[in-house]
């Protein structure tokens, strides 16, 4: 994709004269090794002979530009989707993600990788890119129905300790089991540890 310019057509000599190149500036060469030829004609043809010189020029395949910013954090339980696996490139091709769409990742920081395979593999190389994804811990759903009033003098029992969660774990309640509460409305607290 880089046209030939004076950067490649830079032959020089210690005597006056002119160079003619077999390939014109602005020419786009295919990837691979090419041989460029220049013919030097001296100004003083009585004292000097003209000469040819050939040099090898390697045209490398282009590196595709992959755009893939770090995805926004997700919550544990959210599977990978196109929202996270959304890399783009400056040329046509396909993307191979690791881990793949639909994967369920544990809470923590993960490296996601994409391998971009260009459709035009004669001009572009295959390229990898990685981003970081944070999977945040999920908030368990705790259900604790409204409690039935109790009479003064009746200690707190298992009837007031009936909270449930959507995942396995243990509850700790305050005030403690057996506590006698005075008359009035009280706030009970349940702490769930998954």
């Amino acid at each position: 994709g880089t046209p030939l310019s004076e950067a490649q057509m830079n032959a020089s000599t210690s005597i006056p004269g002119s160079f003619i190149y077999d390939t014109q500036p602005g020419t786009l060469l295919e990837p691979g090794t090419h041989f460029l030829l220049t013919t030097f004609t001296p100004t003083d043809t009585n004292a000097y002979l003209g000469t040819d010189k050939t040099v090898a020029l390697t045209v490398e395949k282009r590196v595709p530009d992959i755009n893939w910013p770090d995805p926004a954090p997700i919550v544990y339980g959210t599977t990978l989707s196109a929202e996270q696996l959304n890399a783009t490139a400056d040329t046509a091709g396909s993307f191979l993600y690791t881990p793949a769409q639909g994967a369920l990742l544990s809470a923590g920081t993960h490296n996601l990788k994409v391998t971009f395979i260009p459709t035009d593999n004669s001009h572009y190389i295959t390229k990898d890119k990685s981003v970081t994804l944070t999977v945040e811990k999920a908030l368990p759903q705790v259900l604790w129905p409204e409690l039935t009033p109790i009479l003064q003098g009746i200690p707190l029992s298992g009837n007031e300790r009936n909270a449930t969660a959507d995942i396995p774990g243990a509850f700790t309640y305050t005030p403690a089991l057996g506590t006698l509460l005075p008359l009035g409305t009280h706030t009970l607290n349940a702490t769930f540890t998954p």
Side-chain angles (χ1 to χ4, degrees), residues 38-114:
T38 186
T39 300
F40 174 72
T41 304
T43 303
D44 183 357
T45 56
N46 292 325
Y48 297 97
L49 294 173
T51 186
D52 293 336
K53 174 76 175 177
T54 301
V55 294
L57 172 66
T58 300
V59 177
E60 297 176 342
K61 290 182 180 183
R62 188 169 175 174
V63 178
D65 183 22
I66 299 174
N67 183 27
W68 193 18
D70 283 348
I74 60 174
V75 176
Y76 173 73
T78 304
T79 56
L80 290 179
S81 69
E83 192 170 335
Q84 295 81 41
L85 308 178
N86 59 355
T88 60
D90 62 346
T91 187
S94 58
F95 296 91
L96 179 62
Y97 294 96
T98 307
Q101 186 167 340
L104 180 63
L105 303 178
S106 60
T109 301
H110 299 271
N111 285 324
L112 306 181
K113 177 185 168 190
V114 67

Side-chain angles (χ1 to χ4, degrees), residues 53-182:
K53 174 76 175 177
T54 301
V55 294
L57 172 66
T58 300
V59 177
E60 297 176 342
K61 290 182 180 183
R62 188 169 175 174
V63 178
D65 183 22
I66 299 174
N67 183 27
W68 193 18
D70 283 348
I74 60 174
V75 176
Y76 173 73
T78 304
T79 56
L80 290 179
S81 69
E83 192 170 335
Q84 295 81 41
L85 308 178
N86 59 355
T88 60
D90 62 346
T91 187
S94 58
F95 296 91
L96 179 62
Y97 294 96
T98 307
Q101 186 167 340
L104 180 63
L105 303 178
S106 60
T109 301
H110 299 271
N111 285 324
L112 306 181
K113 177 185 168 190
V114 67
T115 299
F116 175 69
I117 304 162
T119 302
D120 181 3
N121 61 10
S122 62
H123 293 102
Y124 292 86
I125 65 167
T126 296
K127 184 179 177 187
D128 294 337
K129 183 168 175 112
S130 294
V131 294
T132 300
L133 173 68
T134 299
V135 179
E136 298 173 342
K137 291 183 178 181
L139 187 63
Q141 291 223 335
V142 175
L143 299 176
W144 198 3
E146 287 294 321
L147 299 175
T148 304
I150 60 173
L151 298 175
Q152 183 183 16
I154 297 179
L156 292 176
S157 68
N159 293 334
E160 291 76 44
R161 283 153 170 63
N162 59 349
T164 59
D166 62 341
I167 60 171
F171 284 95
T172 304
Y173 296 92
T174 55
L177 187 67
T179 300
L180 290 173
L181 299 174

Side-chain angles (χ1 to χ4, degrees), residues 1-9 23-30 36 57 59 62:
T2 304
L4 291 180
S5 68
E6 291 179 1
Q8 294 80 37
M9 300 176 170
T23 309
Q24 297 301 312
T27 300
L28 292 175
L29 298 175
E30 292 292 312
L36 305 181
L57 172 66
V59 177
R62 188 169 175 174

